[in-house]
Amino acid sequence: MEQKLSSVAKTLTSSPIQQLSYLAERRNAVNLAEGFPDFPAPSYLKDAAISAIRSDFNQYRHVQAICDYLAYQLKQMHGLDVDPLTDIVVCCGQSEAFAAAMFAIINHGDEVILFDPSYETYETCIRLAGGVPVYVALDPPYWSLDPNKLAKSFTARTKAIVLNSPHNPTGKVFTKDELEIIAGACRTWDILVVTDEVYEHITFDGERHTSVATFPGMQKRTIITSSLSKSFSVTGWRIGWAICPAYFASAIRNIHVKITDSAPAPFQEAALTALRSSPEYFDALRQAYKPKRDYLAQLLTKVGFQVSVMPKGSFFLFMELPRTCTLSDVDFVEELIKQAGVVAVPGCVFFHTNSSKLEDLSLTAISYHRRYIRFAFCKSEETLAAASQKLTELIDGSGGLKLF
């Protein structure tokens, strides 16, 4: 009966990141692979969720006050005016918001531009909606956007661009010049942008997140998706949202209701407490993550990894393998698990061989797809110290790892 599967379903496989996390559990390895915190969520949020459950907020529910607070935040952060009654949809995490956005705007054969490397979920949602992903490679080691590559990616079938900033896996924060290039292309080609802004509050070294929706003519053509998950260390609560013009929001809301009906009711109530957090909470969040970033970067540099630029956002380090390492990223991660008991993600999970135009890809460009490893630093001090100890034990006489 396997032949009854849809053509898209046949192409889907288990997430390599989740598989590595399962392997970490079986081997009792230190998990620096998956992007979720292993330290407690804020106590006041947990108390709010418990209170909501005890108050019997356990049925299908839409908490309009979430939309009210999001509209207020958007005005405060970005100066954007949105109608909380019509322009915001609460979903089961950013993932559902993004998927529903794709289902709302994509017709069969529509092309959607993504920047490579790219988080794996985007392509799946585009394909499930009947769309065609078109990849534009960001240029290492700074992962900068080449305007010429972007210009070559447009066709008469281009419907939208996916923009993730701060960026997973690289930690890049798109510059205002790059955002203007993207905005200009969208205006010229009359296309949409669907953003993933889940790391909006996790930025470093003076950087601050800017939404492309703030650029002239862009609010009407931008669908913003985000969530509580990363900013409040509650990735399992599944509270996210889409913010966009009412005609898009109405379609996304209808799709959301048909698929999941509502986001988890008690966690919607707790989300109100989260959204009422003061600006000092987000300052403290950045201040807490920065030393974790610096600690892990220093450790990895010490054992030979190459870092050309520190991540300005998110909670990932995308590190190039040591120059003396002849292993591929996959082989390196396998040996890292076996010999050091530490799990990370091979960079090839995020790269795509059809980036931009195939003829534009040199052998050098293709080779770097196997030269990067993603490490998550959204971990407790104890977890990072355990990783340090395990890696330090494998340092050879020359100061490098004994894996290669």
Side-chain angles (χ1 to χ4, degrees):
M1 301 296 287
E2 184 178 344
Q3 66 272 20
K4 300 296 186 182
L5 288 171
S6 71
S7 57
V8 175
K10 290 176 183 177
T11 68
L12 302 182
T13 58
S14 300
S15 165
I17 300 173
Q18 289 185 343
Q19 289 176 332
L20 288 165
S21 293
Y22 297 150
L23 180 59
E25 291 179 9
R26 292 198 300 270
R27 289 181 173 268
N28 196 29
V30 178
N31 187 353
L32 302 183
E34 203 157 12
F36 61 79
D38 66 351
F39 47 81
S43 295
Y44 69 97
L45 294 190
K46 293 185 288 187
D47 291 343
I50 292 167
S51 176
I53 292 170
R54 287 177 173 163
S55 299
D56 280 326
F57 291 116
N58 298 312
Q59 312 307 324
Y60 303 133
R61 188 169 177 79
H62 168 68
V63 180
Q64 177 58 36
I66 293 176
C67 302
D68 298 338
Y69 274 101
L70 288 171
Y72 173 78
Q73 283 193 350
L74 204 66
K75 179 66 172 179
Q76 294 300 306
M77 285 184 64
H78 301 299
L80 295 175
D81 291 306
V82 299
D83 186 336
L85 293 175
T86 60
D87 300 353
I88 302 176
V89 187
V90 179
C91 297
C92 294
Q94 182 276 335
S95 296
E96 192 209 9
F98 183 88
M102 289 297 110
F103 297 149
I105 66 172
I106 299 301
N107 291 314
H108 183 76
D110 284 346
E111 295 177 351
V112 180
I113 294 170
L114 305 99
F115 297 112
D116 203 40
S118 174
Y119 180 52
E120 60 183 340
T121 297
Y122 306 145
E123 176 176 335
T124 300
C125 294
I126 292 165
R127 290 193 182 280
L128 286 173
V132 179
V134 176
Y135 287 96
V136 174
L138 299 174
D139 292 338
Y142 302 105
W143 309 109
S144 53
L145 172 62
D146 183 336
N148 293 324
K149 287 182 182 178
L150 178 61
K152 291 179 181 178
S153 68
F154 290 96
T155 72
R157 299 191 344 183
T158 304
K159 188 66 164 289
I161 293 178
V162 173
L163 176 61
N164 170 215
S165 180
H167 185 251
N168 175 14
T170 67
K172 170 189 176 63
V173 174
F174 280 73
T175 67
K176 289 189 177 181
D177 286 344
E178 290 173 326
L179 293 176
E180 180 53 55
I181 290 168
I182 294 167
C186 291
R187 292 189 296 262
T188 297
W189 287 86
D190 190 25
I191 64 170
L192 307 175
V193 178
V194 181
T195 70
D196 175 355
E197 303 184 21
V198 295
Y199 302 103
E200 59 192 319
H201 295 295
I202 305 175
T203 56
F204 310 108
D205 305 330
E207 288 284 349
R208 285 294 185 267
H209 170 62
T210 300
S211 177
V212 73
T214 62
F215 284 75
M218 289 304 295
Q219 185 174 356
K220 67 180 181 181
R221 61 177 75 251
T222 300
I223 300 173
I224 296 171
T225 67
S226 192
S227 76
L228 291 184
S229 296
K230 311 300 184 178
S231 297
F232 294 95
S233 304
V234 288
T235 62
W237 284 18
R238 312 316 299 145
I239 301 294
W241 48 81
I243 304 175
C244 49
Y247 37 88
F248 294 131
S250 177
I252 291 169
R253 186 179 299 108
N254 291 337
I255 292 165
H256 158 69
V257 169
K258 296 297 189 295
I259 295 176
T260 61
D261 205 298
S262 77
F267 297 135
Q268 286 193 66
E269 294 294 330
L272 292 178
T273 300
L275 293 172
R276 293 186 185 115
S277 297
S278 68
E280 288 74 24
Y281 169 84
F282 300 107
D283 291 338
L285 180 73
R286 287 185 282 269
Q287 291 166 10
Y289 271 131
K290 185 178 184 297
K292 294 176 187 290
R293 179 199 70 168
D294 296 347
Y295 178 89
L296 188 56
Q298 183 178 18
L299 169 65
L300 295 171
T301 303
K302 177 182 175 182
V303 298
F305 278 89
Q306 304 173 68
V307 55
S308 299
V309 60
M310 290 286 276
K312 300 295 185 181
S314 82
F315 41 51
F316 301 111
L317 287 164
F318 203 50
M319 306 287 280
E320 188 175 0
L321 287 168
R323 290 185 177 86
T324 55
C325 180
T326 58
L327 299 176
S328 71
D329 57 340
V330 173
D331 292 338
F332 182 91
V333 168
E334 289 179 355
E335 292 302 313
L336 192 66
I337 296 169
K338 294 175 184 176
Q339 298 188 42
V342 175
V343 184
V345 181
C348 64
V349 169
F350 306 100
F351 287 114
H352 304 80
T353 53
N354 65 329
S355 299
S356 247
K357 302 287 185 179
L358 278 176
E359 60 267 24
D360 292 342
L361 281 180
S362 66
L363 291 176
T364 301
I366 293 174
S367 68
Y368 72 72
H369 291 187
R370 296 285 184 174
R371 294 291 300 169
Y372 283 86
I373 309 290
R374 192 193 76 173
F375 294 88
F377 58 84
C378 51
K379 308 298 177 182
S380 67
E381 284 76 9
E382 292 78 12
T383 297
L384 295 176
S388 176
Q389 180 178 349
K390 288 176 177 289
L391 289 173
T392 301
E393 289 172 356
L394 279 180
I395 294 178
D396 59 23
S398 65
L401 292 176
K402 296 176 185 177
L403 302 182
F404 49 87

